[in-house]
Amino acid sequence: MTIHFLPALVAADEHAHAGAVAATAATGTAQWAWLMIAIPAVTAAVLLLAGRATDKWGHWLATAASWSSFAVGVAVVAQMLALPAESRRMVQHLFTWIPANQIGADAAWHFGVDVALMLDPLSLTFVMLVTFVGSLIHVYAVAYMEHDADRRRFFAYLNLFIAAMLTLVLGDSYAVLFVGWEGVGLASYLLIGFWNQVPDNAKAAKKAFVMNRVGDMGLLIAMMAMVANFGTVNIEQIGHAAAENPGSTAMLVIGLFLLVGACGKSAQFPLQAWLGDAMAGPTPVSALIHAATMVTAGVYLVVRSGPVYQASPVAATAVAVVGAITLVFGAVVGSAKDDMKKVLAASTMSQIGYMMLGAGLGPIGWAFAIFHLFTHGFFKALMFLGAGSVMHGMGDQVNIRRFGGLSAAMKLTWLTFMAGWLAILGVPPFSGFWSKDKIIEAAFAVDHFGGTPAPWAGWVFGMVAMLGAGLTAFYMSRLFFMIFHGQKRWTSEAEGAPVHPHESGVLMTAPLVILAVCAVAIGGLLSIGNVFTTWLEPAIGGVVHAEPVLPVIAIQIGTLVLVLAGAALAWKMYAASEVPTAVPAGSALTRAAREDLYQDKVNEAVFVVPGSALVRVASVGDSAAVDGVVKGVAAVSTGTGRLVAFTQNGHARTYASYVLGGVVLALAVVLGFRL
Amino acid sequence: MSLAYYLVLAVILFAIGATIVLVRRSAVISLMGVELMLNSANLAFVTFARIHGQPSGEVMAFFVMVVAAAEVVVGLALIVSIFKARNTTSLDDVNLLKN
């Protein structure tokens, strides 16, 4: 890897960034965009510092903070919509964070990190999703966490999460993005382990934290590579650099390590094992992590770094492959789980797999990856909150084998959940159809693999994506039918924990209804005249049209047939026939899927065991070699000290003799040199 | 007379003084040894001043005398105070600086 610095990157071709427009300084309302981050951050600090004093009203303050961020976001979007497309990219410089500029204006290169907000359609899409869905989750959580003694602390963390996520998407450099990136990692750790009086929950939080750190190292290394090669971590400047260095090793390295970072945060193969355990947190947390914030960050990172992937087809293909693998992986795991929330978690993994696949396909998939992320945010939040509502009514049970027939007892939850279910299945005209089908079509249109032409690639990616749709239909229908249909398998008096299913209160059902409306309509609405993709154009460029290997109508019909087949199979197995409350033995694949396809065991065998061995060796080496040397030096010093200690006997005459000896010696040396 | 005689005499005086300081136990006698060593140095100074025809050596000798006087005053005062505390002037009994 050659290290060189590009002077005056700013002056590079302004349109090099994959069709994205050049950024201008923010004006008007956009100058207040920083409030979106500041309000929830300050609120979180207030709630945490003021402590119990805010117990009575803290949750409402937090909810208000979240809605305020949304309001500011709406104002900025409104301003943006009034502008022509080519000026819909604004940068609001806030302050200089790391002033490391070289002395003098004519220095060979300069490096410095400014904290600045990038306001463009991509970041604002995320702002809308995060603040709107996040605020609804806040409202829901007010009721859901009503009986929790630490509700205030919970809301402080939620606000911290929102602030961190907004920092992540709004930062105009990878350094600022990284602050948010770590912030959501911290917030998720705090929230997953919120009920940390149970050791398992604390363990799950730790697992999420550690696995995320693995990914974060990837992002850090990518940033180091950026600085080493281009002397900047500014997203736009990296985009220019990418356009000027297509196919370079630097871009490959940056792309691959960004992918590692994305894999960690977005729970993509092989760093996905934390996601299922993360269900240990309260359900609103799951909704927030899965729908609006954390796991979507990886997709954001990849799409935001689009020019890097355009400059390195190998890295882009790696993204697509990781997405395709995770999409099937998550679907298989989801088909076997009996824990309602873990099915949804696996489903998130799988749906994010779709987005990664789309993001890896390049300009033909970016817009749809974000579109799917957007629609998914609504229906996945809806389903998680629905699951929380079911738990609320069923005494916190999560085992779907003990549900069944809830449609009568919880009408509103049932209806709203149905909307989410149809949306994720991709049944037209529900939201998911408009976004997922586009990704499948784009997958069929791939014609290269790692930069080399490959006519088979479209078939492989397309078929995987299509198969994933069928699997999604199967496991989501399985979940839906096992919860709401079939016979009642509720726990009874005899088992000591009778349940009395009932509908949740209005604070919980209102967000469900709003999200359900979005799940039904938002995909179709934003597809009319390609509103959404056109809106994204200033940020990521227009959608490049490519011809799929199959006619579009054939893909749509094929997908729909698979979806119907999956749903019908699930109906036959889990609604029409009896569902055993005890877990059946199942096939080898089922057993493997229940165990997350042995991902934990693989991690244990591949990383933990050799890692521990390495640590043991290192620790022996440390105590024997390093400590030995250190202690040896000490022993030698002590020994020498003891040897010469007798010379200090305190007698003036002895000391005088040393002086004389020294003088004689010095004299001898001087005279010796003279003569 | 040649320069060598003066210098040899100075060396002999110095050696005697040093020997006294190193060998004798009494602090008072040791001080006398120091005086002897200082005087040998003075002899060398004066000799060099004469040979080079410059007064600086003699000036230096005066300084040494002043310092020697001061040293004797301080030294004797110390010896007296040590004698008062320990009832001895033997240097071997005074080893507070040990280790």
Side-chain angles (χ1 to χ4, degrees), chain A residues 118-159:
Chain A
M118 163 84 83
L119 300 158
D120 70 356
L122 180 59
S123 62
L124 287 174
T125 304
F126 271 86
V127 165
M128 286 292 98
L129 180 68
V130 172
T131 53
F132 183 64
V133 176
S135 299
L136 286 177
I137 292 171
H138 271 75
V139 172
Y140 177 94
V142 169
Y144 190 86
M145 301 297 285
E146 195 174 356
H147 303 294
D148 198 292
D150 273 332
R151 179 161 62 164
R152 163 198 53 86
R153 184 164 61 91
F154 182 77
F155 274 86
Y157 294 162
L158 280 189
N159 269 19

Short mmCIF file of all heavy atoms in Angstrom, two decimals, chain A residues 118-159:
data_model
loop_
_atom_site.label_atom_id
_atom_site.label_comp_id
_atom_site.label_asym_id
_atom_site.label_seq_id
_atom_site.Cartn_x
_atom_site.Cartn_y
_atom_site.Cartn_z
N MET A 118 -23.83 16.78 8.17
CA MET A 118 -24.14 16.66 6.75
C MET A 118 -25.64 16.48 6.62
O MET A 118 -26.19 15.48 7.08
CB MET A 118 -23.39 15.47 6.18
CG MET A 118 -23.90 15.00 4.87
SD MET A 118 -23.22 15.93 3.51
CE MET A 118 -21.67 15.11 3.29
N LEU A 119 -26.28 17.47 6.04
CA LEU A 119 -27.73 17.38 5.87
C LEU A 119 -28.03 17.13 4.41
O LEU A 119 -27.89 18.02 3.57
CB LEU A 119 -28.39 18.68 6.33
CG LEU A 119 -28.13 19.02 7.80
CD1 LEU A 119 -28.32 20.49 8.04
CD2 LEU A 119 -29.03 18.20 8.70
N ASP A 120 -28.37 15.90 4.10
CA ASP A 120 -28.76 15.60 2.73
C ASP A 120 -29.91 14.59 2.79
O ASP A 120 -30.27 14.12 3.87
CB ASP A 120 -27.56 15.10 1.92
CG ASP A 120 -27.08 13.74 2.34
OD1 ASP A 120 -27.63 13.19 3.31
OD2 ASP A 120 -26.16 13.22 1.71
N PRO A 121 -30.50 14.28 1.67
CA PRO A 121 -31.68 13.40 1.73
C PRO A 121 -31.42 12.08 2.45
O PRO A 121 -32.30 11.58 3.15
CB PRO A 121 -32.00 13.17 0.25
CG PRO A 121 -31.53 14.42 -0.41
CD PRO A 121 -30.30 14.83 0.33
N LEU A 122 -30.21 11.53 2.32
CA LEU A 122 -29.94 10.25 2.97
C LEU A 122 -29.96 10.40 4.49
O LEU A 122 -30.64 9.65 5.19
CB LEU A 122 -28.58 9.71 2.50
CG LEU A 122 -28.15 8.38 3.10
CD1 LEU A 122 -29.16 7.30 2.80
CD2 LEU A 122 -26.79 7.97 2.59
N SER A 123 -29.21 11.40 4.99
CA SER A 123 -29.17 11.53 6.44
C SER A 123 -30.53 11.94 6.98
O SER A 123 -30.96 11.50 8.04
CB SER A 123 -28.08 12.52 6.86
OG SER A 123 -28.35 13.79 6.36
N LEU A 124 -31.26 12.76 6.21
CA LEU A 124 -32.56 13.21 6.70
C LEU A 124 -33.60 12.08 6.68
O LEU A 124 -34.49 12.04 7.52
CB LEU A 124 -33.05 14.41 5.89
CG LEU A 124 -32.28 15.69 6.22
CD1 LEU A 124 -32.69 16.82 5.30
CD2 LEU A 124 -32.49 16.09 7.67
N THR A 125 -33.44 11.16 5.73
CA THR A 125 -34.31 9.98 5.75
C THR A 125 -34.15 9.25 7.06
O THR A 125 -35.12 8.84 7.71
CB THR A 125 -33.93 9.05 4.58
OG1 THR A 125 -34.02 9.77 3.38
CG2 THR A 125 -34.86 7.85 4.53
N PHE A 126 -32.88 9.08 7.45
CA PHE A 126 -32.62 8.40 8.71
C PHE A 126 -33.13 9.22 9.89
O PHE A 126 -33.68 8.66 10.84
CB PHE A 126 -31.12 8.13 8.86
CG PHE A 126 -30.71 6.83 8.28
CD1 PHE A 126 -30.39 6.72 6.95
CD2 PHE A 126 -30.67 5.68 9.06
CE1 PHE A 126 -30.04 5.50 6.40
CE2 PHE A 126 -30.31 4.47 8.53
CZ PHE A 126 -29.99 4.38 7.19
N VAL A 127 -32.94 10.53 9.81
CA VAL A 127 -33.43 11.38 10.90
C VAL A 127 -34.93 11.17 11.09
O VAL A 127 -35.42 10.98 12.19
CB VAL A 127 -33.12 12.86 10.61
CG1 VAL A 127 -33.92 13.76 11.52
CG2 VAL A 127 -31.63 13.11 10.76
N MET A 128 -35.65 11.16 9.96
CA MET A 128 -37.10 10.98 10.04
C MET A 128 -37.44 9.63 10.66
O MET A 128 -38.28 9.52 11.56
CB MET A 128 -37.71 11.06 8.63
CG MET A 128 -37.76 12.46 8.06
SD MET A 128 -38.92 13.51 8.93
CE MET A 128 -37.86 14.37 10.03
N LEU A 129 -36.78 8.59 10.18
CA LEU A 129 -37.07 7.24 10.67
C LEU A 129 -36.74 7.13 12.16
O LEU A 129 -37.56 6.68 12.96
CB LEU A 129 -36.24 6.23 9.86
CG LEU A 129 -36.43 4.77 10.24
CD1 LEU A 129 -37.82 4.30 9.85
CD2 LEU A 129 -35.39 3.89 9.55
N VAL A 130 -35.54 7.59 12.51
CA VAL A 130 -35.08 7.43 13.90
C VAL A 130 -35.96 8.22 14.85
O VAL A 130 -36.41 7.70 15.87
CB VAL A 130 -33.61 7.89 14.03
CG1 VAL A 130 -33.20 7.90 15.49
CG2 VAL A 130 -32.71 6.99 13.21
N THR A 131 -36.24 9.47 14.50
CA THR A 131 -36.98 10.30 15.45
C THR A 131 -38.46 9.94 15.48
O THR A 131 -39.06 9.90 16.55
CB THR A 131 -36.82 11.80 15.14
OG1 THR A 131 -37.17 12.00 13.78
CG2 THR A 131 -35.41 12.26 15.38
N PHE A 132 -39.04 9.63 14.33
CA PHE A 132 -40.47 9.33 14.33
C PHE A 132 -40.74 7.98 14.98
O PHE A 132 -41.50 7.88 15.96
CB PHE A 132 -41.03 9.35 12.90
CG PHE A 132 -42.50 9.11 12.84
CD1 PHE A 132 -43.39 10.01 13.41
CD2 PHE A 132 -43.02 7.98 12.21
CE1 PHE A 132 -44.76 9.78 13.36
CE2 PHE A 132 -44.39 7.76 12.17
CZ PHE A 132 -45.26 8.66 12.74
N VAL A 133 -40.10 6.93 14.48
CA VAL A 133 -40.30 5.61 15.07
C VAL A 133 -39.81 5.62 16.52
O VAL A 133 -40.47 5.09 17.42
CB VAL A 133 -39.59 4.52 14.24
CG1 VAL A 133 -39.72 3.18 14.91
CG2 VAL A 133 -40.17 4.48 12.84
N GLY A 134 -38.68 6.28 16.74
CA GLY A 134 -38.13 6.35 18.10
C GLY A 134 -39.11 7.03 19.05
O GLY A 134 -39.31 6.58 20.18
N SER A 135 -39.75 8.09 18.60
CA SER A 135 -40.68 8.80 19.48
C SER A 135 -41.91 7.95 19.77
O SER A 135 -42.41 7.93 20.90
CB SER A 135 -41.11 10.12 18.83
OG SER A 135 -39.97 10.92 18.63
N LEU A 136 -42.39 7.23 18.74
CA LEU A 136 -43.53 6.34 18.98
C LEU A 136 -43.15 5.28 20.00
O LEU A 136 -43.95 4.92 20.88
CB LEU A 136 -43.96 5.68 17.67
CG LEU A 136 -44.71 6.58 16.69
CD1 LEU A 136 -45.02 5.82 15.41
CD2 LEU A 136 -46.00 7.09 17.31
N ILE A 137 -41.92 4.79 19.89
CA ILE A 137 -41.47 3.78 20.85
C ILE A 137 -41.39 4.38 22.25
O ILE A 137 -41.70 3.72 23.24
CB ILE A 137 -40.12 3.18 20.39
CG1 ILE A 137 -40.33 2.37 19.12
CG2 ILE A 137 -39.50 2.33 21.48
CD1 ILE A 137 -39.06 1.91 18.45
N HIS A 138 -41.00 5.65 22.32
CA HIS A 138 -40.99 6.33 23.62
C HIS A 138 -42.39 6.32 24.24
O HIS A 138 -42.57 5.98 25.41
CB HIS A 138 -40.54 7.79 23.46
CG HIS A 138 -39.06 7.99 23.55
ND1 HIS A 138 -38.21 7.64 22.53
CD2 HIS A 138 -38.28 8.50 24.53
CE1 HIS A 138 -36.98 7.94 22.89
NE2 HIS A 138 -36.98 8.45 24.10
N VAL A 139 -43.37 6.72 23.42
CA VAL A 139 -44.75 6.78 23.92
C VAL A 139 -45.19 5.40 24.42
O VAL A 139 -45.74 5.24 25.51
CB VAL A 139 -45.69 7.28 22.81
CG1 VAL A 139 -47.14 7.18 23.26
CG2 VAL A 139 -45.35 8.71 22.44
N TYR A 140 -44.90 4.41 23.58
CA TYR A 140 -45.27 3.03 23.92
C TYR A 140 -44.61 2.61 25.23
O TYR A 140 -45.23 2.00 26.09
CB TYR A 140 -44.81 2.15 22.76
CG TYR A 140 -45.04 0.66 22.91
CD1 TYR A 140 -46.19 0.06 22.41
CD2 TYR A 140 -44.09 -0.14 23.52
CE1 TYR A 140 -46.39 -1.29 22.52
CE2 TYR A 140 -44.29 -1.50 23.63
CZ TYR A 140 -45.44 -2.08 23.13
OH TYR A 140 -45.62 -3.42 23.24
N ALA A 141 -43.31 2.98 25.35
CA ALA A 141 -42.56 2.53 26.52
C ALA A 141 -43.05 3.17 27.81
O ALA A 141 -42.89 2.60 28.88
CB ALA A 141 -41.08 2.82 26.32
N VAL A 142 -43.67 4.34 27.70
CA VAL A 142 -44.22 4.98 28.90
C VAL A 142 -45.18 4.00 29.57
O VAL A 142 -45.16 3.80 30.79
CB VAL A 142 -44.94 6.30 28.55
CG1 VAL A 142 -45.74 6.80 29.74
CG2 VAL A 142 -43.94 7.34 28.10
N ALA A 143 -46.02 3.36 28.74
CA ALA A 143 -46.96 2.40 29.31
C ALA A 143 -46.28 1.07 29.59
O ALA A 143 -46.51 0.45 30.63
CB ALA A 143 -48.12 2.20 28.34
N TYR A 144 -45.44 0.64 28.67
CA TYR A 144 -44.84 -0.69 28.81
C TYR A 144 -43.97 -0.79 30.05
O TYR A 144 -43.92 -1.81 30.71
CB TYR A 144 -44.01 -0.99 27.55
CG TYR A 144 -43.53 -2.43 27.46
CD1 TYR A 144 -44.34 -3.41 26.90
CD2 TYR A 144 -42.28 -2.80 27.94
CE1 TYR A 144 -43.92 -4.72 26.82
CE2 TYR A 144 -41.84 -4.11 27.86
CZ TYR A 144 -42.67 -5.07 27.29
OH TYR A 144 -42.25 -6.36 27.22
N MET A 145 -43.29 0.29 30.38
CA MET A 145 -42.35 0.26 31.51
C MET A 145 -42.97 0.86 32.78
O MET A 145 -42.26 1.20 33.72
CB MET A 145 -41.07 1.02 31.17
CG MET A 145 -40.32 0.50 29.96
SD MET A 145 -39.70 -1.16 30.18
CE MET A 145 -38.33 -0.88 31.29
N GLU A 146 -44.31 0.99 32.76
CA GLU A 146 -44.97 1.71 33.83
C GLU A 146 -44.64 1.16 35.22
O GLU A 146 -44.48 1.91 36.18
CB GLU A 146 -46.48 1.65 33.61
CG GLU A 146 -47.22 2.66 34.44
CD GLU A 146 -48.70 2.69 34.09
OE1 GLU A 146 -49.10 1.99 33.14
OE2 GLU A 146 -49.43 3.41 34.76
N HIS A 147 -44.53 -0.15 35.30
CA HIS A 147 -44.35 -0.73 36.63
C HIS A 147 -42.88 -0.96 36.98
O HIS A 147 -42.58 -1.61 37.96
CB HIS A 147 -45.12 -2.04 36.72
CG HIS A 147 -46.58 -1.85 36.42
ND1 HIS A 147 -47.40 -1.10 37.23
CD2 HIS A 147 -47.34 -2.24 35.37
CE1 HIS A 147 -48.61 -1.07 36.71
NE2 HIS A 147 -48.60 -1.75 35.57
N ASP A 148 -42.01 -0.43 36.15
CA ASP A 148 -40.59 -0.64 36.41
C ASP A 148 -40.08 0.50 37.30
O ASP A 148 -40.29 1.68 36.99
CB ASP A 148 -39.81 -0.67 35.10
CG ASP A 148 -38.45 -1.30 35.27
OD1 ASP A 148 -37.59 -0.69 35.95
OD2 ASP A 148 -38.25 -2.40 34.74
N ALA A 149 -39.40 0.15 38.35
CA ALA A 149 -38.92 1.17 39.30
C ALA A 149 -37.91 2.10 38.64
O ALA A 149 -37.74 3.24 39.06
CB ALA A 149 -38.30 0.49 40.52
N ASP A 150 -37.25 1.62 37.61
CA ASP A 150 -36.18 2.40 36.99
C ASP A 150 -36.59 2.98 35.64
O ASP A 150 -35.76 3.13 34.75
CB ASP A 150 -34.94 1.52 36.81
CG ASP A 150 -34.07 1.54 38.04
OD1 ASP A 150 -34.11 2.56 38.75
OD2 ASP A 150 -33.38 0.55 38.29
N ARG A 151 -37.86 3.29 35.51
CA ARG A 151 -38.33 3.76 34.20
C ARG A 151 -37.55 4.98 33.73
O ARG A 151 -37.21 5.11 32.56
CB ARG A 151 -39.82 4.08 34.29
CG ARG A 151 -40.39 4.60 33.00
CD ARG A 151 -41.87 4.48 32.94
NE ARG A 151 -42.52 5.27 33.98
CZ ARG A 151 -43.81 5.59 33.95
NH1 ARG A 151 -44.56 5.18 32.95
NH2 ARG A 151 -44.35 6.30 34.90
N ARG A 152 -37.24 5.89 34.67
CA ARG A 152 -36.53 7.11 34.31
C ARG A 152 -35.18 6.80 33.69
O ARG A 152 -34.81 7.35 32.65
CB ARG A 152 -36.33 7.94 35.57
CG ARG A 152 -35.29 9.02 35.46
CD ARG A 152 -34.87 9.46 36.83
NE ARG A 152 -34.46 8.34 37.65
CZ ARG A 152 -33.23 7.84 37.67
NH1 ARG A 152 -32.31 8.34 36.88
NH2 ARG A 152 -32.91 6.83 38.45
N ARG A 153 -34.45 5.87 34.30
CA ARG A 153 -33.13 5.49 33.77
C ARG A 153 -33.29 4.91 32.36
O ARG A 153 -32.51 5.20 31.45
CB ARG A 153 -32.50 4.46 34.71
CG ARG A 153 -31.10 4.04 34.35
CD ARG A 153 -30.42 3.34 35.51
NE ARG A 153 -31.08 2.11 35.93
CZ ARG A 153 -30.80 0.90 35.44
NH1 ARG A 153 -29.89 0.78 34.52
NH2 ARG A 153 -31.44 -0.16 35.87
N PHE A 154 -34.34 4.11 32.18
CA PHE A 154 -34.61 3.51 30.88
C PHE A 154 -34.78 4.60 29.83
O PHE A 154 -34.20 4.54 28.74
CB PHE A 154 -35.88 2.66 30.99
CG PHE A 154 -36.24 1.95 29.73
CD1 PHE A 154 -35.55 0.82 29.34
CD2 PHE A 154 -37.28 2.41 28.93
CE1 PHE A 154 -35.90 0.16 28.17
CE2 PHE A 154 -37.62 1.75 27.76
CZ PHE A 154 -36.93 0.63 27.39
N PHE A 155 -35.54 5.62 30.17
CA PHE A 155 -35.78 6.68 29.19
C PHE A 155 -34.53 7.51 28.95
O PHE A 155 -34.32 8.00 27.83
CB PHE A 155 -36.95 7.56 29.65
CG PHE A 155 -38.26 7.00 29.22
CD1 PHE A 155 -38.92 6.06 29.99
CD2 PHE A 155 -38.82 7.38 28.02
CE1 PHE A 155 -40.11 5.51 29.58
CE2 PHE A 155 -40.02 6.84 27.60
CZ PHE A 155 -40.66 5.91 28.38
N ALA A 156 -33.69 7.65 29.96
CA ALA A 156 -32.43 8.35 29.75
C ALA A 156 -31.60 7.61 28.71
O ALA A 156 -31.04 8.21 27.78
CB ALA A 156 -31.67 8.45 31.07
N TYR A 157 -31.56 6.29 28.84
CA TYR A 157 -30.79 5.50 27.87
C TYR A 157 -31.40 5.59 26.48
O TYR A 157 -30.68 5.68 25.48
CB TYR A 157 -30.74 4.03 28.31
CG TYR A 157 -29.97 3.77 29.59
CD1 TYR A 157 -30.15 2.59 30.30
CD2 TYR A 157 -29.06 4.69 30.07
CE1 TYR A 157 -29.45 2.34 31.46
CE2 TYR A 157 -28.36 4.45 31.23
CZ TYR A 157 -28.55 3.28 31.93
OH TYR A 157 -27.86 3.03 33.07
N LEU A 158 -32.75 5.55 26.43
CA LEU A 158 -33.41 5.65 25.12
C LEU A 158 -33.00 6.95 24.43
O LEU A 158 -32.68 6.97 23.24
CB LEU A 158 -34.93 5.62 25.27
CG LEU A 158 -35.64 4.28 25.47
CD1 LEU A 158 -37.14 4.49 25.36
CD2 LEU A 158 -35.20 3.24 24.47
N ASN A 159 -32.99 8.05 25.19
CA ASN A 159 -32.63 9.33 24.60
C ASN A 159 -31.17 9.35 24.18
O ASN A 159 -30.81 9.92 23.15
CB ASN A 159 -32.91 10.46 25.59
CG ASN A 159 -34.31 10.99 25.41
OD1 ASN A 159 -35.14 10.33 24.82
ND2 ASN A 159 -34.55 12.17 25.90
#
